[in-house]
Structure formats: structure tokens, C-alpha cells
Amino acid sequence: MEFTFFIEGGNFSKAGTASSEVKKILKQLNVDAKIIKRTVVSLYEAEVNVVAHAFEGNMIVEIFPDKIVVRIEDKGPGIPDIDKAMEKGFSTATPKVREMGFGAGMGLPNIKKNSDQMNISSTVNVGTQLEIVNYLK
Amino acid sequence: MVKVADVVDKLNAQVICGKDDLNQDIHFGFASDLMSDVLTLDTDNMLLITGMNNLQTIRTSEMSDISYILFVRDKKVSQEMKDLACENNITLIECSYSMFKTCSVLCEMGLEPVY
């Protein structure tokens, strides 16, 4: 099964709609509640990152019998130093993002915590690709 | 453990949606305006106490399986927030007390901290 969701940069009223759809699909598939929670928390963090930092992006979700693989690819400023971005507390978020309750520099570390595998690559002024893999069993 | 109905009563609060859940018991409480902090928790049966009244508070709760949100400092829930909460079976409560006063009352009632 494969699904693709579009993510609009800057539109906070829609932030979370893609993750919400994935949650509904995983529930319908009777995936364990703890695995659903870990997965959708990672996806939501990633989705908020796209809304907060990029122009637009896509969330491509592939569901296999034993795992879920999600790629979040955006067009945006990219991340110049990924190691730095992975540090807890490091953030380049705007005041607007902080007003929404985010931008504390905890997104990427929390995605790592809530996923079985996480791969990230980025090109400055092009965009960022994030892959999250969670095993369903 | 505290009953949702007792929380509402003690805090002179208003239930905005989820009136069917008033007989439920809640074990834990977590107070934060920072949704990034809320997203790091993996606690079940928890009341989120917050003054952050926007759509992302509801989204954060949806992703984190939080079924009860208490808005403090007289923050009002928008129609959009209410609609999203109802869709996800999240109970919303508004109260006019400060976060500090709210937490002290809830602590005295027996609501436990997450950590």
C-alpha cells in the first residue's frame, strides 16, 4: 500500500492533517496502539518541520506486512549541518513557530526516539529528505 | 486517580466538548505550553493542562493519544479546535485559574505527575 500526502509550507492550520490521515489508516489496519503512537508522533514532528521551514513537501507512506516506511521530502532551505540540527535544543525556528508551541529544538531528536530507523539527508537551498522506518511487529 | 467531573467541579470549569466522558478517571497530569515537550511523553490516561489555545494543541493531543485537555488562564477554545477535538473524541475543558493554581488543586485531588 502506498499513499502520498502534500504538505503546504507555512500553513499551520493544516499542519498535522497528513499525520492524522496516516493514523486513521494504521488504526484501520489494526496496528498496535503503541506502534501507531510512536509512528504518528514522528510523522507529526516531521510534518511540522516542513510547515515551519520549507516551501512545500510530500509525505510518501508505504505500508508492508512487517513495517511502515515513510519519506518526507521537502523543497526548502535545507539543513547546513545535520549533526547540529540533531542536537537537543538547537533550533532555527521563527518566533511564529515558537508561538505555536514548537521550535524548542526537540523535533529531530524526538523523531529518532520514536522510530526504529531514521535517515536524513539535505542539500542547502534545495531541500531535505527524511526517511522513517517503524516495524509493525 | 481523579474523576473528570470532580476536576470540573473543583476548578469551576466548563466542559466545551466530551460531556459523555465526565465519569472517567484520569491518572496523570502534565502542564505545558510547549507542544514539543508534550510530544516526548509516552504516558497513557493523562490530562494535558495548558494555556496554549491553538489548533496544534489539539493535533498534538491527537497524535499523543491524549483524551483530556484543560485550558487554563481563561483561554478560549475556537470552533475549529472544538470541531477537531470532537472528531477525535478529545474532551476540552476551560478554566479561569492560573496554571499554578490549577496544578496545585489537581495535585491535592490526587492527580499524579508524569515525572
Side-chain angles (χ1 to χ4, degrees), chain B residues 1-11 102-111:
Chain B
M1 290 266 210
V2 296
K3 223 172 248 320
V4 181
D6 294 340
V7 169
V8 173
D9 183 46
K10 283 267 185 200
L11 295 171
T102 302
C103 291
S104 64
V105 170
L106 292 172
C107 219
E108 214 162 77
M109 287 174 72
L111 197 68

Side-chain angles (χ1 to χ4, degrees), chain B residues 17-51:
Chain B
C17 69
K19 292 188 167 68
D20 299 338
D21 290 337
L22 297 187
N23 264 325
Q24 300 293 313
D25 288 313
I26 314 174
H27 201 155
F28 296 102
F30 187 77
S32 181
D33 283 354
L34 189 62
M35 294 304 116
S36 302
D37 271 341
V38 179
L39 284 165
T40 63
L41 304 175
D42 52 8
T43 309
D44 291 328
N45 197 8
M46 192 191 93
L47 171 72
L48 171 62
I49 303 136
T50 186

